[in-house]
Amino acid sequence: METPALLLDFAMILIAAVIGGTAFRYLRMPRVVGMLVAGIAIGPFTPGFVVKSEEIADLALLGAVFLMFSSGLSFDIRTFRTLGSKPFLLAGLGVGLSFILGFSLGTLIGWEPLHSLFLGLILTSTSTALGLKLMVDMGLTEESGYELVMAAILIDDVVALSLMTVVLGIAGPDTVSTPYLILGLVGILGLAALLVLVGTRTMPRILRFTDRLSPSSTVMVAVSFALLISFGFGVLELSPFVGAFFAGSIIASTQQSSRVTSNMAPVTAIFMAVFFTSIGMLINPAELLKVALLGIALIAVAIISKIIPGLLVLSKEKGTSAFGRMKLATILVPRAEISLIIAQYGVTVGAPSGLLALAMFVVIATALFPGAMAWISRWPRSEKPKDQESLP
């Protein structure tokens, strides 16, 4: 009987994730960054063991959905009402500045306008899964402004996807007029909002009924709800990760949230490792070296375009220190894995072949940035010798 390769690959991914995550934890950097590096080590572009199972991509998607669902469980959806317009302002400024600066850089180096549009697009979206996980790893959940940044990351994803939809619709082989694109986009976002609204009204009642009928089934019903909402967002061509987060935040407003949270923790830990390690497996170190010079300039743009809006909006938050604002602003820097998809599409419509390598460069470097900043901030300060401390 032939042993399925998936079992071996799944085991090797978990082992690599544990080794990478633990090593980076001892370096006082986020564990998820270590998992990304571990993915590079077992990917197809480096020597040694290579994970080959096609099913890993499906498991990685499931891992990201579970991660976002668990993150949503710590964020009551009613919090959006108290935050007002600030998350929308932060997300809009970050996406807009990223796109404009990326497009300007492409124009400056002599790229055609269409190709420069794609350079701007790969910078727009903050990585929702990585950003929320980094806030937990870096101990920022108690920081004033944490909820604002968390909400902004989610809205950022929707704003970036909306911009991508319009640009790709114009740039694609079957060009659609801008008014029709915008009308279709409004309809899609309206359906997504309706999906969340219906879930908010019905899910608490369903969980209460399930809890009375069969308490042990409550978690399964909650997870099923998260998967259905994620599927609905995916059908609407929106991020299923954002759908999973909204599902979690809806569950967070119910009496059963603490039980769902505790039961989801071990499941999320396993599939989260698969997700972040599989992202690392997409990165080809050799290709990164070819675009290093332009990549460094692009990284500078990626950092500036998110840090500046973050500091500006967070400066209005009461109780935040300058250092706290900087740490929270760095969470907005990591770019999403969707940048790789956008870059791949750009290459197919005539953008330079190096665009995909540039997207990889940006994704991995910006993922390292918050951890590197946290590590630098923990360097021991110079202290006075003990004999000098006793002097008046």
Side-chain angles (χ1 to χ4, degrees):
M1 179 178 178
E2 186 179 354
T3 303
L6 175 63
L7 300 180
L8 176 61
D9 287 345
F10 197 6
M12 294 304 295
I13 283 179
L14 293 179
I15 292 170
V18 169
I19 294 173
T22 303
F24 271 64
R25 182 183 179 189
Y26 276 101
L27 292 173
R28 295 188 175 184
M29 294 185 70
R31 292 174 62 247
V32 293
V33 180
M35 293 176 186
L36 285 170
V37 175
I40 297 175
I42 62 173
F45 307 108
T46 52
F49 181 85
V50 176
V51 171
K52 298 178 181 178
S53 298
E54 297 179 358
E55 294 87 347
I56 291 299
D58 296 329
L59 293 176
L61 172 63
L62 197 59
V65 168
F66 282 153
L67 172 62
M68 296 304 298
F69 176 57
S70 296
S71 298
L73 288 170
S74 63
F75 187 91
D76 192 329
I77 196 168
R78 292 170 293 190
T79 306
F80 276 100
R81 300 174 186 172
T82 64
L83 293 173
S85 62
K86 287 182 287 187
F88 295 90
L89 177 63
L90 177 52
L93 287 173
V95 170
L97 189 58
S98 297
F99 181 72
I100 291 170
L101 290 181
F103 176 80
S104 301
L105 178 61
T107 304
L108 186 65
I109 62 176
W111 282 20
E112 296 178 11
L114 177 60
H115 303 162
S116 298
L117 284 175
F118 281 98
L119 195 62
L121 279 180
I122 65 175
L123 294 180
T124 53
S125 183
T126 296
S127 175
T128 311
L130 183 57
L132 298 183
K133 187 64 178 70
L134 282 170
M135 282 198 282
V136 175
D137 282 359
M138 294 170 64
L140 298 178
T141 55
E142 301 300 324
E143 192 79 37
S144 179
Y146 158 74
E147 291 179 336
L148 169 58
V149 172
M150 179 180 276
I153 289 175
L154 292 169
I155 297 168
D156 175 293
D157 213 353
V158 175
V159 173
L161 286 169
S162 301
L163 178 61
M164 289 174 191
T165 301
V166 173
V167 172
L168 294 181
I170 296 173
D174 299 322
T175 305
V176 181
S177 63
T178 303
Y180 279 108
L181 274 173
I182 295 175
L183 183 63
L185 186 59
V186 170
I188 288 171
L189 294 177
L191 287 173
L194 179 63
L195 192 63
V196 172
L197 179 62
V198 171
T200 304
R201 298 295 177 88
T202 60
M203 201 58 205
R205 299 175 183 176
I206 292 173
L207 284 184
R208 283 197 300 269
F209 175 76
T210 304
D211 206 19
R212 289 195 299 267
L213 188 66
S214 175
S216 60
S217 301
T218 303
V219 176
M220 287 187 287
V221 171
V223 172
S224 300
F225 171 67
L227 295 175
L228 288 172
I229 293 290
S230 299
F231 174 76
F233 269 61
V235 168
L236 295 173
E237 297 188 356
L238 297 171
S239 172
F241 305 155
V242 174
F245 184 93
F246 277 122
S249 64
I250 290 171
I251 301 296
S253 65
T254 67
Q255 296 176 347
Q256 293 76 24
S257 62
S258 59
R259 193 190 322 160
V260 174
T261 302
S262 61
N263 280 276
M264 281 298 300
V267 178
T268 301
I270 292 172
F271 282 96
M272 177 198 70
V274 177
F275 170 68
F276 286 114
T277 307
S278 67
I279 293 299
M281 290 163 54
L282 298 174
I283 298 169
N284 185 348
E287 290 295 322
L288 301 184
L289 294 176
K290 297 178 182 178
V291 296
L293 189 60
L294 181 55
I296 291 171
L298 206 59
I299 289 165
V301 169
I303 293 172
I304 291 169
S305 60
K306 293 289 185 176
I307 290 286
I308 291 177
L311 293 177
L312 286 175
V313 176
L314 286 168
S315 65
K316 306 298 182 181
E317 281 291 289
K318 296 180 180 179
T320 58
S321 63
F323 186 55
R325 289 195 293 270
M326 177 57 74
K327 288 194 295 183
L328 285 170
T330 62
I331 299 299
L332 298 167
V333 171
R335 292 316 197 261
E337 56 282 352
I338 196 173
S339 299
L340 303 176
I341 300 173
I342 295 298
Q344 183 66 56
Y345 182 81
V347 171
T348 62
V349 296
S353 59
L355 184 65
L356 183 57
L358 281 171
M360 292 180 181
F361 202 101
V362 169
V363 168
I364 188 64
T366 55
L368 290 167
F369 180 75
M373 291 296 292
W375 184 63
I376 291 171
S377 69
R378 290 171 182 169
W379 278 0
R381 302 321 195 250
S382 58
E383 298 180 358
K384 294 180 180 180
K386 290 185 178 180
D387 57 344
Q388 290 186 15
E389 290 178 355
S390 61
L391 296 175

